[in-house]
Amino acid sequence: MPTTDASAVHITGGRRLAGTVPVQGSKNTALHLYAAALLADEPLTLHGAPAILDTGVVAEILNRTGTRTTVTGDAFTTRPADVYLPVVPDRLGRRIRTTAVLAGALLARAGRVTFPVPGGDAFCVRRIDRHLAAMAAAGAEVELDGGLVRARTSGRRPPFVTDAGTGGWGPSLGATVTAVLLAARTRGTSTVLNPSVEPEVTHTAALLARSGVGIEWQGRAALHVTGTDRIAGGEFTVPPDRLEAATLALAAAITGGTVHLARFPAAAFPDGLLTAFADAGLRLDPLDGGTVVTAPAGPRPVRLATGPHPGYPTDVQPQLTAYLTQADGTSRIEERVYPRRDSHLAPLAALGAGVGPTVR
């Protein structure tokens, strides 16, 4: 008798997964675009907003801080506040990962902000030191008291330079966006050294560039942002979620099925993922602006390493690992982004798969 526990997911196997699935807007990109919407001096609508809990949480945060926000279907619409209340409520800020990014936008808008440390998923420590460094570089006095952060600037902020690098962890995606949002409303040209080039950053930068902010990339070395006193609104589309699309593709392949990823062209996958899919035996064919995914020859063993964009995304490593348990041979996947993110190995081993850090 199946349980009625609403927190459980019940899976009945033994069937091929086949059909057409629309890929919703990217969760991670949308969360950063929501923060950028705080800077607009005109109404702004983001189409393709994903239907996830975080969208509603951010909409409530923005409304609490004065930015009038509505979510209708997949349209996330903001209107500038008459008066900004630059406080991210503790209860809400601890439910999402991009709290510090929203705080950076509020600091840019109001010259001060109070916010809790981020929440959301907790598979690893969520450090915000690079976010706080960006705020300090932008002229803010930053005070951390327990789990609460207060930042305040005084007078006109001069252009600044900040470093988004984290040493062994690579560039901080979130801190890069925080710095860009602060620079977008700072007169003159500010520089973010060692910026992340993940799509979440490039799409946020594209929105701001379209809205009147000067954006100049210097490869992976630096990102130069020329701020403005007025940022336009209008309409912008959240790109489809590459991680969701990859998960759906692998789910179909694991069951020997076929999936049509509607409105998701194969070119929307990063190069590292396309290479891994081809090596593992997945076939991607275009259809009506989307992609049909099959695995006609079955899984093949691969050797790869996760890495920053455009490498193989770490968030799709567990799904690929599950698929490769069916391959005739030994695969090797190096997890270089989150070296200890191996919580999926024990369940696979319990099902009889030979998996683990020592498998060669």
Side-chain angles (χ1 to χ4, degrees), residues 1-359:
M1 177 70 68
T3 176
T4 57
D5 183 357
S7 66
V9 176
H10 306 283
I11 302 171
T12 302
R15 298 175 61 183
R16 295 173 63 250
L17 296 181
T20 297
V21 183
V23 180
Q24 70 177 350
S26 168
K27 169 209 169 186
N28 290 337
T29 300
L31 288 173
H32 292 87
L33 293 175
Y34 298 160
L38 268 166
L39 303 185
D41 294 293
E42 302 168 1
L44 172 66
T45 296
L46 298 171
H47 298 285
I52 57 174
L53 180 65
D54 287 9
T55 292
V57 172
V58 175
E60 187 174 351
I61 291 173
L62 266 57
N63 276 310
R64 294 284 193 92
T65 59
T67 298
R68 292 158 288 178
T69 305
T70 58
V71 180
T72 305
D74 71 347
F76 187 97
T77 300
T78 60
R79 291 172 176 78
D82 296 322
V83 178
Y84 287 92
L85 177 62
V87 176
V88 177
D90 188 87
R91 175 183 65 85
L92 298 172
R94 294 185 187 277
R95 295 178 64 186
I96 58 173
R97 296 163 50 180
T98 52
T99 304
V101 182
L102 288 167
L106 282 168
L107 179 61
R109 259 298 192 182
R112 67 186 190 283
V113 68
T114 300
F115 64 100
V117 294
D121 58 81
F123 66 83
C124 68
V125 176
R126 294 285 176 196
R127 295 183 175 88
I128 61 170
D129 57 306
R130 290 294 85 202
H131 295 264
L132 302 185
M135 294 177 185
E141 295 181 4
V142 181
E143 175 188 349
L144 177 61
D145 183 9
L148 199 65
V149 181
R150 296 182 179 86
R152 175 185 293 271
T153 59
S154 57
R156 183 175 291 276
R157 298 190 304 270
F160 62 91
V161 177
T162 189
D163 193 334
T166 63
W169 293 88
S172 169
L173 185 163
T176 301
V177 176
T178 294
V180 169
L181 298 183
L182 287 164
R185 295 196 73 93
T186 298
R187 282 285 190 91
T189 300
S190 300
T191 298
V192 184
L193 299 175
N194 300 304
S196 167
V197 297
E198 295 287 334
E200 291 81 355
V201 178
T202 58
H203 285 291
T204 302
L207 168 62
L208 293 172
R210 190 224 59 174
S211 301
V213 177
I215 299 290
E216 181 185 351
W217 289 92
Q218 190 180 336
R220 295 175 180 268
L223 171 57
H224 305 290
V225 182
T226 302
T228 178
D229 291 332
R230 185 164 187 82
I231 294 177
E235 299 185 9
F236 195 82
T237 299
V238 179
D241 197 315
R242 66 196 187 280
L243 305 178
E244 177 181 298
T247 300
L248 292 168
L250 285 166
I254 286 169
T255 66
T258 300
V259 64
H260 174 212
L261 303 174
R263 302 191 301 276
F264 191 94
F269 284 127
D271 292 343
L273 197 148
L274 287 173
T275 298
F277 276 9
D279 291 347
L282 273 68
R283 176 173 170 175
L284 309 181
D285 293 305
L287 177 66
D288 298 335
T291 303
V292 175
V293 183
T294 56
R300 297 192 294 257
V302 301
R303 299 177 67 89
L304 63 87
T306 63
H309 187 78
Y312 190 90
T314 189
D315 285 343
V316 191
Q317 185 256 104
Q319 300 91 308
L320 180 64
T321 301
Y323 177 61
L324 292 173
T325 61
Q326 302 177 12
D328 184 13
T330 300
S331 296
R332 177 176 173 81
I333 303 176
E334 295 184 49
E335 176 56 86
R336 293 180 179 173
V337 180
Y338 297 109
R340 298 192 62 186
R341 189 177 179 186
D342 55 4
S343 59
H344 57 286
L345 297 185
L348 290 173
L351 294 172
V355 294
T358 60
V359 172

